[in-house]
Amino acid sequence: MATRTSILPSCVSMAACRCGTTHYWPQRPSIPSSNLASRPAPLRAPLRISSHSCHSWRLRVLCRAAGTTSKGLSDSETSLDAGQDRLQKVPISNIRNFCIIAHIDHGKSTLADKLLQLTGTVHKREMKEQFLDNMDLERERGITIKLQAARMRYVLDGEPFCLNLIDTPGHVDFSYEVSRSLAACEGALLVVDASQGVEAQTLANVYLALENNLEIIPVLNKIDLPGAEPDRVCQEIEEIVGLDCSEAIRCSAKEGIGIAEILSAIIKKIPPPKDTAGNPLRALIFDSYYDPYRGVIVYFRVIDGTIKKGDRIYFMASGTDHIADEIGVLSPNQLEVDELFAGEVGYLSASIKSVADARVGDTITHFGKRAESALPGYEEATPMVFCGLFPVDADQFPELRDALEKLQLNDAALKFEPETSSAMGFGFRCGFLGLLHMEIVQERLEREYDLTLITTAPSVVYRVHCANGEIVECSNPSSLPEPGKRRFIEEPFVKIEMLSPKEFIGPLMELGQERRGIFKEMNYITENRASIIYELPLAEMVGDFFDQLKSRSKGYASMEYSFVGYRESDLVKLDIQINSEPVEPLATIVHKDKAYAVGRALTQKLKELIPRQMFKVPIQACIGAKVIASESLSAIRKDVLAKCYGGDITRKKKLLRKQAEGKKRMKAIGRVEVPQEAFMAVLRLEKEVI
């Protein structure tokens, strides 16, 4: 250390910190107090040291780590400096593209934060928890909804490397976006909680990574927890996934343990991209969002060729062309560059007006020199779950329409069309990727646009095979063809895998059987954990299936599902009639075996909620013309016999007969108004029962 001090310029001071590190900073030249008092006031401001007086000495704060390289600085210190030079190009052999895959709440976002911090990509003063999660909703729920990317620069053994992290959502609803993100990478960090072990979505994401031939690095997170069992979890990963965990990295993202080892493993184990810069341009879009000032911003990975600012580009799936006004890298803020080569990850702005023109999975190529074929794997986003959204205040309908249109600019998977209900007025029928997607959209509408909404029970898309050979897709019971016009109805089925401790196998199998599930197989993946696989209708899962799963397993079970296709089922339309008039908003499509139970529950609930009338009101659940459940609301009647204190019985009968005739006339012309509170209560009941 004395040697280091001897070569310092006179204008630099050195001091040891209490933590054992050494800090250097510019020193103010000493000025006699007599001179200081006589100097003008402006010159009393803090003095800046010119580069000439310091002999071009580059002044920086250097925190000395225990282990330093031969050059006197540790890799982490060098990286903190190099983190500011992220725009500098490196050879393609020094580029690493990777993502982090994990189950919900296994520490993926916390690990990403530490990687950004250690590489100097984000300054400590700018750092905050879940840095890449920009939405308040993501921070509150602790989940990643919107995909993010970050370019980092890390120096290992004196050589700079460019690391491109693509942070993916973990939920099964966004599995297509995850698959496109994985296709943009060469490797993945598999993060597993050292206390919870392998969960259902861990497996689902690992299988997606293996399909894309990624190099997978297992990482055991949260080893600082008292309940952590890293040895057991390593064995689980080896037995379930089949990965070699002899060199698995044990870390704690929260405490910063093992982060440097992860960065070193990324560089040493993940292969670099192929050098295809000479081929025609092909770039994979893995995300996009709408900016109100610049239009759609596209996130992409250059697979082949190069792209420059000002190029005329062509989107192969949507068939549109644009001029690339701006291209750059994400670090994690947008930094503009002039050119991106094969292997690099960046963004572009081209005055695109709709996210639908730049869909996830599309291929970008040059308009003049197009690639021969698009990159594989592109799919259109297809909604799986539908529900009705109605404003509580009818005056908010225009605001709801505007809010949905703005949300659709950022979310191409959201579909909606106008819908009218006799009970709730004007609203929209909306399609979503899954239940979480539906919850997120509803909550964003209420928070960001200050709307109060009523949501109908979620439903799925049925395929109706008509007698004339036509196939009609139907998500709303009101649009279901008449029984005489249809041959049969098909409904979507999903394959669901539940991972659970062995003591909860019985309750979970009972849940699967109750929901019309078809048992496929059960495997003991470890001594104490089992995997149960069922195939069951999606309509049975969109209700409270997940709540029941957690309730019956005391929170220990996890699940993952995938769509397997449409199958013929014995489905019927269940109508609710009040005073012999059908109430369309309460109609549902149910399986014939469950129709009686659902009908009985709905009629009993309506009897409690509808106010009594001056005439008797029958409440019936019907399949076609057949009544399967019925309740009746007795009439409010005047005591017409009160004035008869004696006399013949015929006098009393005459008064009662006259009253009954009046009630009959009133019933023929009377209408029963079902209050909105009753509709909302029945909708909640439908979500629980159906």
Side-chain angles (χ1 to χ4, degrees):
M1 191 59 68
T3 308
R4 179 76 178 187
T5 309
S6 63
I7 64 168
L8 288 174
S10 59
C11 58
V12 177
S13 291
M14 176 192 78
C17 185
R18 291 196 307 183
C19 63
T21 62
T22 306
H23 300 282
Y24 302 92
W25 68 90
Q27 177 184 341
R28 280 171 87 179
S30 59
I31 302 171
S33 57
S34 59
N35 293 350
L36 184 62
S38 62
R39 296 176 83 93
L43 293 180
R44 296 188 188 183
L47 297 172
R48 292 182 174 85
I49 311 300
S50 70
S51 58
H52 300 291
S53 63
C54 294
H55 309 291
S56 301
W57 181 266
R58 196 176 185 184
L59 298 173
R60 289 191 180 179
V61 178
L62 304 174
C63 293
R64 287 301 189 84
T68 58
T69 62
S70 59
K71 295 182 180 180
L73 299 176
S74 68
D75 283 335
S76 59
E77 289 172 351
T78 314
S79 292
L80 283 170
D81 289 345
Q84 313 309 316
D85 307 325
R86 298 185 294 279
L87 292 181
Q88 291 185 8
K89 297 291 184 183
V90 298
I92 195 167
S93 58
N94 286 13
I95 295 176
R96 300 291 184 271
N97 297 317
F98 71 100
C99 61
I100 305 174
I101 53 178
H103 190 78
I104 292 171
D105 201 32
H106 277 208
K108 178 164 57 71
S109 295
T110 311
L111 178 58
D113 290 350
K114 286 295 179 184
L115 294 176
L116 293 174
Q117 203 170 344
L118 188 65
T119 55
T121 308
V122 179
H123 287 287
K124 194 172 183 179
R125 65 177 177 271
E126 299 170 357
M127 198 63 204
K128 56 186 177 181
E129 288 186 6
Q130 293 174 260
F131 187 85
L132 293 178
D133 293 342
N134 298 325
M135 293 164 54
D136 293 337
L137 205 56
E138 291 178 309
R139 295 176 179 281
E140 287 175 16
R141 293 188 174 220
I143 59 175
T144 300
I145 298 168
K146 192 69 179 162
L147 183 148
Q148 297 291 336
R151 178 185 177 121
M152 301 177 287
R153 189 177 173 89
Y154 187 69
V155 177
L156 183 68
D157 299 331
E159 192 174 358
F161 287 85
C162 175
L163 311 179
N164 290 310
L165 163 65
I166 299 175
D167 187 31
T168 58
H171 198 272
V172 65
D173 283 5
F174 310 109
S175 58
Y176 173 65
E177 284 80 355
V178 174
S179 72
R180 295 304 85 212
S181 304
L182 294 174
C185 300
E186 280 80 34
L189 296 179
L190 172 63
V191 178
V192 181
D193 191 324
S195 58
Q196 296 182 30
V198 175
E199 301 277 1
Q201 279 166 231
T202 312
L203 281 178
N205 290 330
V206 165
Y207 294 149
L208 279 174
L210 292 173
E211 284 175 16
N212 287 282
N213 298 318
L214 299 193
E215 180 68 35
I216 299 174
I217 302 172
V219 176
L220 304 184
N221 195 17
K222 304 187 184 181
I223 59 166
D224 58 314
L225 291 180
E229 299 175 278
D231 294 332
R232 175 185 67 82
V233 174
C234 274
Q235 186 182 348
E236 267 189 23
I237 295 172
E238 288 182 345
E239 291 177 0
I240 301 169
V241 184
L243 290 175
D244 180 18
C245 287
S246 58
E247 297 182 7
I249 301 167
R250 303 185 180 196
C251 79
S252 169
K254 190 174 183 181
E255 300 296 329
I257 302 168
I259 307 301
E261 288 83 349
I262 291 173
L263 287 165
S264 178
I266 289 168
I267 291 169
K268 291 176 180 176
K269 294 185 178 180
I270 294 177
K274 294 177 182 177
D275 189 358
T276 54
N279 296 353
L281 172 66
R282 286 199 305 173
L284 174 69
I285 299 175
F286 59 82
D287 195 24
S288 60
Y289 75 93
Y290 185 79
D291 184 285
Y293 300 103
R294 298 186 292 166
V296 176
I297 307 297
V298 178
Y299 292 178
F300 64 94
R301 149 81 192 274
V302 184
I303 306 293
D304 303 320
T306 60
I307 182 171
K308 297 179 182 178
K309 181 178 178 180
D311 283 352
R312 188 177 181 185
I313 54 174
Y314 179 74
F315 295 96
M316 299 183 79
S318 61
T320 58
D321 63 280
H322 306 273
I323 302 294
D325 302 323
E326 178 188 336
I327 65 169
V329 296
L330 300 147
S331 190
N333 299 322
Q334 295 174 2
L335 303 174
E336 194 171 346
V337 299
D338 293 326
E339 190 173 10
L340 289 173
F341 298 92
E344 292 190 288
V345 173
Y347 75 93
L348 69 83
S349 168
S351 303
I352 306 168
K353 295 181 179 178
S354 170
V355 173
D357 292 338
R359 292 182 179 274
V360 172
D362 202 347
T363 304
I364 303 172
T365 187
H366 283 130
F367 185 80
K369 189 182 176 183
R370 298 186 191 180
E372 292 181 2
S373 60
L375 294 165
Y378 173 75
E379 293 176 13
E380 290 277 346
T382 51
M384 298 295 294
V385 177
F386 287 80
C387 79
L389 289 178
F390 296 89
V392 171
D393 183 0
D395 294 338
Q396 286 189 324
F397 175 75
E399 286 91 334
L400 175 59
R401 183 183 57 229
D402 293 343
L404 284 169
E405 286 173 354
K406 287 176 183 175
L407 274 184
Q408 197 176 42
L409 288 173
N410 267 322
D411 189 353
L414 173 64
K415 302 282 191 293
F416 64 92
E417 59 184 22
E419 183 181 34
T420 308
S421 165
S422 58
M424 287 165 284
F426 294 99
F428 291 93
R429 190 81 180 166
C430 302
F432 310 94
L433 294 173
L435 287 175
L436 179 70
H437 189 209
M438 183 180 82
E439 284 179 35
I440 290 164
V441 169
Q442 184 188 349
E443 200 156 343
R444 286 188 68 184
L445 287 170
E446 291 178 346
R447 281 187 184 198
E448 298 174 20
Y449 301 96
D450 199 23
L451 297 169
T452 310
L453 301 173
I454 303 169
T455 312
T456 64
S459 63
V460 299
V461 181
Y462 298 97
R463 279 186 186 165
V464 184
H465 291 254
C466 301
N468 59 3
E470 188 182 356
I471 298 176
V472 179
E473 290 197 342
C474 167
S475 64
N476 196 341
S478 61
S479 59
L480 192 71
E482 294 297 321
K485 296 180 180 179
R486 60 180 190 248
R487 287 171 37 232
F488 61 90
I489 304 174
E490 291 181 324
E491 64 177 331
F493 268 68
V494 292
K495 176 186 175 184
I496 182 167
E497 181 175 12
M498 299 176 278
L499 293 187
S500 166
K502 62 181 181 182
E503 55 265 31
F504 303 116
I505 291 173
L508 293 185
M509 292 185 75
E510 186 181 347
L511 175 65
Q513 298 294 345
E514 286 174 4
R515 301 303 175 98
R516 297 193 285 130
I518 304 166
F519 177 74
K520 287 298 177 184
E521 60 176 315
M522 184 182 76
N523 298 313
Y524 276 87
I525 51 181
T526 64
E527 187 180 341
N528 296 314
R529 285 166 69 83
S531 163
I532 309 165
I533 297 176
Y534 270 87
E535 287 183 359
L536 77 161
L538 180 61
E540 296 287 345
M541 209 198 72
V542 297
D544 63 339
F545 186 90
F546 185 72
D547 295 339
Q548 286 290 326
L549 176 91
K550 289 294 183 184
S551 174
R552 299 190 187 202
S553 66
K554 299 181 180 176
Y556 284 103
S558 61
M559 61 170 261
E560 191 275 327
Y561 66 90
S562 57
F563 177 66
V564 294
Y566 279 81
R567 297 181 187 174
E568 183 180 346
S569 292
D570 193 4
L571 300 170
V572 293
K573 180 183 176 185
L574 181 68
D575 286 307
I576 300 295
Q577 293 187 354
I578 298 176
N579 195 27
S580 303
E581 288 187 10
V583 184
E584 207 58 56
L586 298 180
T588 54
I589 299 173
V590 296
H591 193 268
K592 197 171 184 179
D593 294 344
K594 294 185 72 175
Y596 174 74
V598 174
R600 172 61 63 194
L602 291 177
T603 52
Q604 287 177 348
K605 192 71 176 176
L606 283 169
K607 183 181 178 181
E608 296 172 15
L609 297 168
I610 297 174
R612 290 173 67 191
Q613 310 292 317
M614 294 297 292
F615 50 90
K616 184 179 179 181
V617 179
I619 304 168
Q620 300 167 321
C622 312
I623 299 174
K626 181 183 178 184
V627 177
I628 60 167
S630 179
E631 295 284 342
S632 60
L633 205 60
S634 57
I636 300 172
R637 57 185 290 272
K638 180 182 175 183
D639 186 6
V640 292
L641 303 182
K643 58 185 178 183
C644 297
Y645 48 89
D648 191 47
I649 189 67
T650 55
R651 175 69 180 157
K652 295 180 181 180
K653 284 183 177 180
K654 179 183 175 184
L655 291 171
L656 289 170
R657 194 161 46 248
K658 186 178 178 183
Q659 184 188 41
E661 287 172 1
K663 296 282 185 190
K664 190 175 180 181
R665 283 196 306 274
M666 196 183 295
K667 184 179 179 181
I669 60 171
R671 288 180 58 83
V672 181
E673 292 293 332
V674 182
Q676 196 174 54
E677 293 76 17
F679 275 107
M680 292 173 69
V682 170
L683 290 174
R684 282 195 294 271
L685 181 72
E686 282 184 356
K687 292 176 186 177
E688 297 169 6
V689 174
I690 295 174

